[in-house]
């Protein structure tokens, strides 16, 4: 998977490929902590996420660049956006949106029911996609996954990066967690903007189970193709840390009870003041990367036990 693009440098660690911007600024490892907002229902979480989009729209002019969260975490938000798109009241806002996906399993056909693209289309609806300015998914059906990912990153960079990174929280073994699909011990560092990493059985099972729990229309053929996927395409720590705002939602602890402890670990683990030790903590538990962003909102339900 070679490319001739000079905007990004490539690093490989234990089979994990990470792409970095050559002119990327050094990002400090300041731990800002995380303060969850506990809301009573998934609908309230969706409304809170939508309010963050409204706030960004009021605060800036021109385009708004967002990364959609796949799976269960943002379905309430997506239903609200789909309803807004059926009216003309918010057409001016929708016309400003450049929408990106943040992760994907590959290789896999783009019309697979376990693809985030199909899930977004199902819930957001056709009116939403007709009215937004652009939609850029990660390509999962190309022979050169890295080249496809670089084309995606070049578009994101040309638009000025993300205004809002809508993000979730995924459980991992040993009470660790992932953000986007940055998995433990994948070697992700603060300057890595995106990666192509080997798939793990835990992430694959998590992906399939959350799509089924979320009501996705999938077939046995879809599942067989999904289980044959070899790589995860994911935005990396740099994309998270350079976003102007990070909006997290965790709503499915009932169907994914491991999140009760894995979220608590992110909430209560202070990162070491020693940079090398902090990097080891982040590598072991990538869910901790969210603690390094100074403008984070984390909307959760009472089922996290907070």
């Amino acid at each position: 998977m070679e490319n001739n693009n000079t905007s990004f440098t490539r690093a490989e660690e234990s089979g994990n490929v990470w792409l970095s911007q050559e002119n990327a600024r050094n990002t400090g490892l300041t731990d800002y902590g995380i303060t969850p907002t506990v809301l009573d229902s998934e609908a309230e979480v969706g409304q809170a996420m939508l309010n963050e989009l409204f706030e960004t729209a009021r605060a800036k002019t021109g385009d708004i660049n967002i990364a959609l969260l796949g799976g269960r975490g943002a379905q309430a938000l997506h239903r609200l956006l789909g309803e807004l798109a059926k009216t003309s009241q918010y057409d001016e806002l929708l016309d400003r949106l450049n929408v990106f996906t943040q992760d994907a399993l590959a290789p896999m056909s783009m019309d697979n029911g376990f693809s985030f693209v199909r899930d977004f289309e199902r819930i957001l609806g056709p009116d939403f996609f007709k009215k937004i300015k652009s939609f850029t998914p990660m390509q999962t059906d190309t022979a050169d996954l890295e080249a496809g990912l670089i084309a995606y990153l070049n578009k994101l960079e040309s638009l000025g990066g993300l205004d809002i990174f809508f993000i979730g929280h995924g459980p991992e073994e040993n009470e660790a967690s992932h953000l986007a699909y940055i998995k433990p011990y994948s070697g992700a560092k603060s300057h890595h903007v995106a990666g192509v990493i080997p798939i793990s059985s835990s992430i694959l099972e998590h992906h399939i189970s959350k799509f089924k729990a979320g009501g996705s229309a999938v077939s046995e053929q879809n599942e067989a193709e999904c289980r044959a996927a070899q790589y995860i395409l994911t935005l990396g720590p740099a994309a998270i840390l350079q976003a102007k705002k990070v909006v997290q939602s965790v709503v499915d602890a009932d169907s994914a009870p491991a999140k009760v402890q894995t979220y608590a670990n992110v909430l209560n683990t202070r990162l070491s003041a020693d940079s090398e030790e902090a990097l080891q903590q982040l590598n072991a538990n990538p869910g901790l990367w969210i603690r390094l962003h100074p403008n984070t909102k984390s909307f959760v339900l009472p089922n996290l036990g907070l």
Side-chain angles (χ1 to χ4, degrees):
M1 294 187 288
E2 297 181 353
N3 68 79
N4 297 315
N5 192 297
T6 57
S7 298
F8 297 89
T9 56
R10 180 184 191 277
E12 186 169 354
E13 181 177 332
S14 301
N16 303 286
V17 174
W18 290 102
L19 302 172
S20 306
Q21 293 168 296
E22 291 182 345
N23 60 350
R25 65 181 184 272
N26 282 328
T27 304
L29 298 179
T30 301
D31 188 339
Y32 296 97
I34 183 170
T35 303
T37 300
V38 182
L39 299 172
D40 289 334
S41 69
E42 196 168 339
E44 289 186 28
V45 170
Q47 185 62 53
M49 298 170 76
L50 182 61
N51 291 342
E52 293 297 327
L53 176 58
F54 288 157
E55 181 183 277
T56 293
R58 290 191 296 267
K60 70 170 294 190
T61 58
D63 290 1
I64 302 169
N65 309 322
I66 66 173
L68 289 177
L69 169 61
R72 175 77 178 279
Q75 284 187 347
L77 167 65
H78 298 164
R79 291 188 184 96
L80 288 172
L81 288 171
E83 290 301 314
L84 297 185
K86 293 177 182 177
T87 73
S88 59
Q89 183 178 358
Y90 293 92
D91 283 3
E92 187 274 336
L93 168 61
L94 295 173
D95 187 56
R96 297 166 63 190
L97 289 183
N98 294 306
V99 178
F100 292 82
T101 58
Q102 62 183 267
D103 45 30
L105 305 186
M108 193 165 72
S109 59
M110 297 295 287
D111 62 355
N112 188 296
F114 285 101
S115 163
F116 285 122
V117 175
R118 298 285 80 79
D119 208 43
F120 293 145
E121 290 177 347
R122 176 177 70 91
I123 300 176
L124 287 159
D127 292 322
F128 176 84
F129 288 97
K130 289 176 184 175
K131 291 184 175 182
I132 60 175
K133 189 163 189 177
S134 70
F135 176 60
T136 307
M138 291 178 172
Q139 292 298 312
T140 60
D141 56 359
T142 175
D144 192 334
L145 294 175
E146 285 184 38
L149 187 56
I150 285 174
Y152 163 104
L153 293 173
N154 279 328
K155 181 172 182 180
L156 180 57
E157 175 71 9
S158 72
L159 293 173
L162 291 172
D163 293 295
I164 306 178
F165 198 134
F166 288 108
I167 206 163
H169 170 94
E172 288 284 343
E173 296 177 356
N174 300 315
E175 297 184 342
S177 52
H178 63 259
L179 293 181
Y181 266 148
I182 307 167
K183 69 176 185 176
Y185 301 108
S186 59
K189 297 180 175 61
S190 62
H191 58 283
H192 292 153
V193 67
V196 181
I197 61 180
I199 211 155
S200 68
S201 58
S202 61
I203 281 187
L204 189 59
E205 290 301 330
H206 176 69
H207 181 91
I208 290 171
S209 63
K210 75 179 180 182
F211 266 64
K212 289 181 175 179
S216 295
V218 294
S219 66
E220 291 182 4
Q221 291 81 2
N222 287 164
E223 184 167 345
E225 183 185 38
C226 182
R227 289 188 179 279
Q230 297 175 291
Y231 302 100
I232 298 165
L233 309 180
T234 183
L235 287 175
I240 297 171
L241 299 180
Q242 292 172 13
K244 296 176 181 66
K245 181 193 298 184
V246 174
V247 177
Q248 182 181 58
S249 60
V250 187
V251 300
D252 56 346
D254 288 341
S255 58
K259 291 189 179 185
V260 173
Q261 187 56 53
T262 60
Y263 185 87
N265 288 346
V266 170
L267 181 64
N268 298 318
T269 300
R270 288 288 303 179
L271 289 168
S272 172
D274 180 89
S275 60
E276 288 301 317
E277 289 183 6
L279 286 172
Q280 291 177 17
Q281 289 176 281
L282 292 160
N283 194 33
N285 188 4
L288 293 169
W289 282 106
I290 200 169
R291 296 181 63 95
L292 300 178
H293 198 288
N295 187 18
T296 293
K297 303 291 179 64
S298 185
F299 299 116
V300 305
L301 294 183
N303 58 14
L304 278 181
L306 302 179

